[in-house]
Amino acid sequence: MEKEIIEHIAYIKMSKNRYKVLKSLNEGIKIPSEIANETDIRLNHVSALLKDLKDHDFVLCLNENDSKGRMYILTETGKTVLNILQ
């Protein structure tokens, strides 16, 4: 297994909430409030997690310039790591 993938896996495993967000997004495009409802994580925390996951190339925001209703999907990195962890 590549060193980079191992580092990505470790990064997700360090936080159960990061894993929950990735797992939620595995079902398709979602907005933060949908993720918050599914995972029982507060909305402000979901928003912070999404920003963090986006900065680390696990998720992609489809409509970055919108202030509300931002839609997120998994990147190939996010899908790969999630498939390994499941």
Side-chain angles (χ1 to χ4, degrees):
M1 197 175 297
E2 291 181 38
K3 183 179 187 250
E4 185 177 2
I5 292 295
I6 292 170
E7 289 172 357
H8 287 312
I9 291 167
Y11 182 74
I12 296 301
K13 286 184 77 83
M14 284 189 284
S15 166
K16 66 180 180 182
N17 287 341
R18 286 184 196 134
Y19 177 72
K20 286 181 179 182
V21 170
L22 286 187
K23 197 170 176 181
S24 176
L25 284 170
N26 195 39
E27 298 168 10
I29 298 170
K30 299 220 172 129
I31 60 174
S33 61
E34 291 173 319
I35 297 167
N37 289 336
E38 288 179 10
T39 60
D40 289 325
I41 302 171
R42 290 181 307 179
L43 182 57
N44 63 330
H45 196 73
V46 166
S47 295
L49 287 164
L50 286 167
K51 181 186 179 323
D52 183 53
L53 291 168
K54 184 174 74 76
D55 290 346
H56 286 87
D57 194 38
F58 290 99
V59 302
L60 175 68
C61 181
L62 298 175
N63 54 339
E64 191 77 38
N65 294 326
D66 294 347
S67 60
K68 289 191 175 222
R70 288 190 178 137
M71 298 180 294
Y72 291 86
I73 59 169
L74 290 178
T75 62
E76 287 305 314
T77 301
K79 289 176 187 176
T80 300
V81 169
L82 189 59
N83 286 334
I84 292 169
L85 291 175
Q86 289 184 345

